[in-house]
């Protein structure tokens, strides 16, 4: 008698990607840090021991102690509470600025990559000029023109990153636009919009997902730089870059004023970069067994 061999249901591509990602310890560490930061941002009013703007002039420049675990600043505000609330600002800036850059960049890159020819040349030459300006310098110029503030910092950082996403999605689309399924969609008179959104983009998103993940960390760093020079979040907003700016004049005597915000910025950027590296490896089809 022959035994029946049980054939398991084939794994979906998403499950395979998640399994490969789970094997990457550094990527999972980055994901855990990001989840903890997100939870801290969401539940900040319940986690923080004090309100981020609460002042106590009798407790100015306190070193870390039982009442204030990470000390206080020049106005007696609890640094731990400000760091927890600051996660909201930093994650908001990182996510929304990347969303602006990715959406606009994807639109331009999709048009350039799908149509090619003169359309491609016009768009890419414009982006060449655009990208010739250093990203940080462009962000500073835009933020200075728009005025200081978190929303303007988001716009400045997002607009300055458009060429990066455009080039990535254009290169991906150029590798799939001549595939058989694209020719089949064209043969049945599908509109260009449907072909791009239903067939081209879904098969070109892998490199973009990696770039988006890694650029969230870079955007947080750029926004912190804008806040540090006074063009980002404004007092009393507890943004990490603004906290660095407020503490820089006192760092010799009260080093903890800049150490803790600096560690938060470093940890957030590093965690997104580690997750991005892991996603890149997980999405690489050459790593399939």
């Amino acid at each position: 008698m022959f035994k029946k061999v049980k054939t398991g249901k084939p794994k979906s591509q998403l499950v395979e990607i998640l399994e490969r990602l789970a094997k990457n310890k550094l990527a999972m560490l980055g994901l855990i840090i990001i989840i903890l930061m997100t939870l801290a941002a969401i539940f900040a009013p319940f986690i923080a021991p004090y309100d981020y703007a609460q002042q106590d002039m009798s407790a100015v420049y306190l070193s870390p102690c039982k009442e204030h675990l990470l000390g206080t600043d020049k106005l007696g505000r609890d640094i731990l509470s400000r760091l927890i609330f600051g996660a909201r600002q930093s994650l908001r800036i990182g996510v929304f600025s990347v969303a602006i850059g990715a959406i606009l960049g994807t639109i331009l890159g999709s048009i350039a990559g799908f149509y090619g020819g003169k359309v491609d040349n016009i768009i890419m030459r414009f982006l060449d000029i655009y990208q010739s300006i250093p990203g940080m310098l462009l962000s500073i110029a835009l933020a200075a023109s728009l005025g200081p503030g978190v929303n303007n910092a988001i716009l400045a950082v997002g607009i300055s990153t458009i060429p990066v996403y455009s080039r990535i999605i254009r290169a991906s689309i150029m590798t799939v636009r001549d595939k058989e399924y694209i020719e089949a969609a064209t043969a049945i008179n599908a509109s260009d919009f449907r072909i791009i959104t239903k067939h081209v983009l879904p098969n070109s998103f892998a490199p973009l997902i990696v770039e988006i993940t890694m650029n969230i960390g870079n955007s947080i760093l750029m926004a912190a730089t804008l806040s540090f020079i006074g063009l980002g979040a404004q007092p009393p907003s507890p943004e990490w870059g603004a906290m660095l700016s407020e503490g820089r004049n006192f760092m010799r005597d009260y080093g903890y004023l800049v150490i803790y915000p600096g560690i938060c910025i470093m940890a957030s950027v590093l965690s997104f970069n580690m997750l991005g590296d892991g996603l890149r490896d997980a999405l690489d089809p050459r790593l399939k067994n």
Side-chain angles (χ1 to χ4, degrees):
M1 297 292 293
F2 293 100
K3 292 183 179 179
K4 292 184 179 179
V5 179
K6 294 183 179 179
T7 57
K9 192 176 181 180
K11 297 179 181 178
S12 67
Q13 186 177 5
L14 178 61
V15 172
E16 291 181 355
I17 291 172
L18 292 176
E19 287 180 351
R20 288 198 296 272
L21 180 64
K23 294 178 182 178
N24 191 320
K25 294 181 180 179
L26 286 178
M28 297 310 296
L29 175 61
L31 180 60
I32 291 171
I33 295 173
I34 292 169
I35 292 173
L36 291 176
M37 284 175 53
T38 305
L39 291 175
I42 294 172
F43 298 105
F46 307 100
I47 299 174
Y50 303 92
D51 183 79
Y52 71 86
Q54 181 180 335
Q55 300 180 15
D56 183 2
M57 300 308 294
S58 64
V60 174
Y61 292 127
L62 277 183
S63 298
C65 58
K66 183 178 179 181
E67 292 77 16
H68 302 278
L69 296 179
L70 299 183
T72 61
D73 62 7
K74 62 181 180 181
L75 297 176
R77 297 173 297 190
D78 184 67
I79 292 177
L80 176 59
S81 300
R82 290 179 63 77
L83 290 175
I84 293 172
F85 277 96
R88 283 185 168 186
Q89 298 285 1
S90 295
L91 288 176
R92 174 190 168 198
I93 292 171
V95 171
F96 283 101
S97 61
V98 165
I100 291 172
I103 291 172
L104 296 178
T106 298
I107 292 172
L108 290 175
S110 299
I111 295 172
F114 184 75
Y115 290 105
K118 291 182 179 180
V119 175
D120 182 27
N121 276 328
I122 293 171
I123 293 176
M124 298 315 295
R125 297 299 75 76
F126 169 74
L127 292 178
D128 284 340
I129 299 171
Y130 199 141
Q131 206 167 14
S132 65
I133 305 172
M136 194 67 245
L137 180 61
L138 182 59
S139 296
I140 292 173
L142 289 171
S145 301
L146 295 170
V150 173
N151 292 334
N152 291 339
I154 291 173
L155 284 173
V157 174
I159 292 173
S160 66
T161 58
I162 289 174
V164 177
Y165 301 108
S166 296
R167 291 186 178 281
I168 289 174
I169 201 68
R170 170 182 175 268
S172 297
I173 286 177
M174 291 180 72
T175 62
V176 303
R177 67 181 182 184
D178 295 325
K179 299 291 185 180
E180 290 80 2
Y181 55 87
I182 304 298
E183 294 179 359
T186 305
I188 61 173
N189 291 325
S191 65
D192 291 346
F193 179 79
R194 181 176 179 81
I195 293 174
I196 292 174
T197 56
K198 297 292 185 181
H199 303 289
V200 176
L201 284 179
N203 292 285
S204 308
F205 262 140
L208 190 65
I209 293 173
V210 175
E211 189 66 25
I212 286 173
T213 305
M214 300 187 74
N215 267 1
I216 291 177
N218 295 334
S219 296
I220 291 174
L221 186 60
M222 291 177 70
T225 304
L226 291 177
S227 297
F228 185 81
I229 61 177
L231 293 175
Q234 300 298 301
S237 178
E239 200 271 336
W240 294 336
M243 292 177 67
L244 278 176
S245 180
E246 291 176 2
R248 62 182 171 179
N249 294 326
F250 310 98
M251 61 187 299
R252 288 188 177 181
D253 298 322
Y254 310 103
Y256 59 86
L257 292 177
V258 295
I259 290 175
Y260 298 130
I263 290 174
C264 289
I265 294 172
M266 181 193 71
S268 61
V269 174
L270 182 62
S271 60
F272 278 107
N273 286 344
M274 289 191 299
L275 179 59
D277 282 334
L279 280 174
R280 180 186 59 198
D281 296 339
L283 291 168
D284 191 345
R286 291 172 294 183
L287 297 179
K288 291 183 180 180
N289 295 328

